[in-house]
Amino acid sequence: MHPYPQSTSKGKIALNQTIESLRKVLKLEQAKGYSDKAVMGGLDRFLRNLSPPDERLSRLLSLNYSALDTGARERWIKNILGQLDSGELRVQPPPEIIAPEQKHLATHARHGSKQSLDAPITSIKGINLSLASKFDKLGVKTVRQLLYFFPRRHIDYSQRKLISELEVGAEQTIVATIWEAAQKGKGYRMRNTEAVVGDESGNIRVIWFNQPYLAKKLTTNSRIVLSGRVAEFRGRKVFQSPEWELLESDDLIHTGRLVPVYPLTAGLYPRTVRRLVKGTLDRWLPELTDFLPENVKRSAALLPLPEAIRQAHYPDNELSKDQARKRLAFDELFLIQLGVLAKKRDWQEDGIGNAFNVDSSHLEPFFNSLPFKLTSAQIRILAEIQSDLSKAKPMSRLLQGEVGSGKTVVATAALLLATANGYQAALMAPTEILAEQHFYTICGLLSRAGGESSDDRPVRTFSSMLPHPISVGLIIGGLKESSKQELQERVSAGEINIVIGTHALIQKGVDFQNLGFCVVDEQHRFGVMQRAALRSKGSCPHVLVMSATPIPRTLALTLYGDLDLSMLDELPPGRIEIKTRFLSPEQRQKAYDFVRKQVAEGRQAFIICPLIEESEAIVTKAAITEHEHLSRSVFPDLRLGLLHGRLNSAEKDEVMQRFRNGDIDILVSTPVVEVGVDVPNATVMLIEGADRFGLAQLHQFRGRVGRGQHQSYCLLLAETPSAEAKERLSLLERIRNGFTLAEEDLRLRGPGEFFGTRQSGLPDLKMAKLSDVELLELARSEAIHLFEADPYLKQPEHRLLAREVSRLWYTEGELS
């Protein structure tokens, strides 16, 4: 038994803070019945991140908590709390803390995992601190990460030939005998190695530029394998700087096979990386356990994990490489699916939701007041939402819909149902402009159904729709402090039924008396934590997430697998199709003339520029410069406005309000105008540098017009588009459906560019392609099947899988 160390005052303070934090979390875990839900990501992640300033405490906490059963968890926590309370630490917990059947798992986690696959790469023979720092720049810090450091591609050096059969220009391999090798050049120019090699069919000259040290390694009469491209010099064939390998065994690394090409950084060379990876595979793969259950591997026809990793690096042939990619890609997608399914389960089981009475009579006055009939898609989705709301499990649903497909009407009906059941409801939008737009749109819909008894912005009240009046409030950052405080007090007192706002809704000071339903608009603008903060304002409220950004169904099921999915894929009848044209730079003046003609007819126009200011690196239009040019030289007699991301919220709102009110004829803007803004009188969307945007984003821009009764147009301008960009823009001319365009965008550009940097919230997929629909659906179906049978992965055959899910979602922190 050892007392706490009495070191420096700073060290003592740090230790006391650590112990207090640990004590609080362990007591909370006790209160939650040892369910591993005291902290986000589980107790293992918390303990790893704790970094105790005392070695004995650190060793005491090195346990895989998630691998223990409830009894073992209880014994372990009581023991730790006892030691913390007594002020004395024992390096090892008593043996009886861990149940016998759990010992092998805990021991493996503590010793096998931490000191092997999760050990730093400096534990690998041949990797010193200098090399480790270079690997670190590529995101490789541990043995496991080096095993999963897959090549970008392979060069096919497997086609062996005789020297007499070599062809100029092709990648080829020979096995030959070194007849001679020497440095060539004089003095400081002595930088090359030249050799003559031969086989039974003839000889060939080989030259390695700037590698004089090779001459000493290439000893006469040694057997060598050369792979590379053959050139012709003075009428004779010659190998120029080929890959080489002395033939000491059949297990080749650099030549004579499909040779891996790895990502590199300064000071890290191809041969070094190949040699180190090969050594790591040989040393560590035998110790790698396969976490995938046997029945899943059989069902999906997958390779064992060690074999898949080996073949991904050094495949026997193209077929083996494809099989390896399938297994490793399946793993990534399968683990993501299990993680999102667990998130959905935790949300629905952490508390009891509010079961609504979904009597349709509550909504009849509202539906009867609408100047249009609901589409069949709206009716179908309303039924799905009503079914969710009628259950005690909290709803968690994603509503995807085209621009103008009628999502707001569906959301308003759901807000009314919450109000009819005596609950408060909230709608959160990503910007103040959109929050205000929702406020006015929803109030406009309600005023048709119920007489408005007061119009006191930021609160409006409606009567004669439900047995009690309905009050709708708007909370945004731009409100006066006195108005905001008064509104917050009314929300807290339960006087406001429907609250609409921005992220201000999740800040301190906004408390609901009885929040039962939340709508989050434009899902991809909100992080998981922001959604969770809104949920925490109520007791397990139902949540409806809306997005006008079309995402292919298979991809949506991956990204938002914790949400049920509704697709509003039908536009109301009578919508006028937006005419779309791709124009060359020579047609720019025609485009300007067309804009002027539309303005003369009383319409308005958007002109979108990719950048705020001009850049030497990127040749494209910039908003500030273009606004000055258009105001001075093209449309000096018209009223132009400027909108970009450097304006503060109040300035953006003021510009948009002037445009909406008709005080601006042409709005020059960066992509900040992409989502949600509604200006019915705008009929032209002219997009500069259209080749710099993806199809989904261009479709969003196009959706800013065509919102009134006039014919609208989308004009696409690009200075020097690539062939791929031309294909994208021509697709936009032909295709009107946003979901079809999103599928094409994903196919053409991949998920990284489709969503922008890290926007998807997915881990950095090494093997999986989200455009691989077949594999994605296979992984999802297998995950659902397994999850239904063992939702907590408690069965013995699923223990390794449970650890892998936890490691991906929580240890690496990419999805948490």
Side-chain angles (χ1 to χ4, degrees), residues 77-120:
I77 286 179
K78 284 181 176 177
N79 177 67
I80 299 294
L81 286 173
Q83 294 193 47
L84 296 179
D85 291 340
S86 69
E88 296 180 333
L89 300 177
R90 291 184 292 272
V91 172
Q92 293 295 339
E96 68 273 15
I97 286 176
I98 303 176
E101 68 273 14
Q102 301 292 325
K103 278 186 179 178
H104 71 287
L105 284 170
T107 303
H108 177 81
R110 187 166 60 251
H111 298 297
S113 177
K114 290 229 172 191
Q115 296 177 10
S116 56
L117 293 177
D118 293 321

Side-chain angles (χ1 to χ4, degrees), residues 490-554:
R490 293 183 65 184
V491 171
S492 181
E495 296 174 15
I496 309 296
N497 305 111
I498 298 172
V499 186
I500 298 170
T502 58
H503 60 278
L505 288 184
I506 61 175
Q507 294 173 344
K508 287 183 179 179
V510 182
D511 295 310
F512 293 82
Q513 186 186 74
N514 192 18
L515 181 64
F517 178 61
C518 305
V519 179
V520 178
D521 190 25
E522 285 306 326
Q523 154 67 15
H524 70 292
R525 299 295 182 91
F526 284 109
V528 173
M529 296 305 292
Q530 287 171 301
R531 269 198 288 154
L534 182 59
R535 282 171 166 172
S536 69
K537 295 284 182 179
S539 176
C540 295
H542 298 284
V543 175
L544 177 67
V545 172
M546 296 199 304
S547 178
T549 306
I551 303 169
R553 181 179 179 84
T554 49

Side-chain angles (χ1 to χ4, degrees), residues 8 44 128 175 212 273 321 376 383 425 563 592 601 656 721 744 759:
T8 64
D44 287 327
N128 55 24
V175 178
V273 176
K321 187 171 87 168
S376 56
L563 306 173
Y592 290 155
E601 292 176 6
M656 280 310 306
E744 291 292 335
Q759 199 171 359

Side-chain angles (χ1 to χ4, degrees), residues 139-211:
V140 178
K141 300 177 183 180
T142 66
V143 175
R144 186 191 303 276
Q145 287 171 338
L146 189 59
L147 290 177
Y148 279 84
F149 181 60
F150 297 119
R152 289 186 289 112
R153 60 189 178 92
H154 288 82
I155 301 174
D156 188 357
Y157 288 152
S158 62
Q159 303 305 311
R160 297 189 185 183
K161 291 190 173 183
L162 295 172
I163 290 174
S164 62
E165 297 171 339
L166 292 174
E167 300 171 14
V168 173
E171 301 277 10
Q172 294 149 102
T173 295
I174 62 168
V175 178
T177 301
I178 301 170
W179 300 132
E180 62 179 45
Q183 293 182 9
K184 293 291 180 177
K186 293 182 179 179
Y188 70 91
R189 288 187 176 180
M190 207 163 183
R191 304 293 300 160
N192 302 332
T193 292
E194 288 192 23
V196 175
V197 302
D199 63 13
E200 61 268 33
S201 71
N203 298 331
I204 190 170
R205 182 166 156 258
V206 189
I207 182 168
W208 287 273
F209 298 108
N210 299 314
Q211 298 178 63

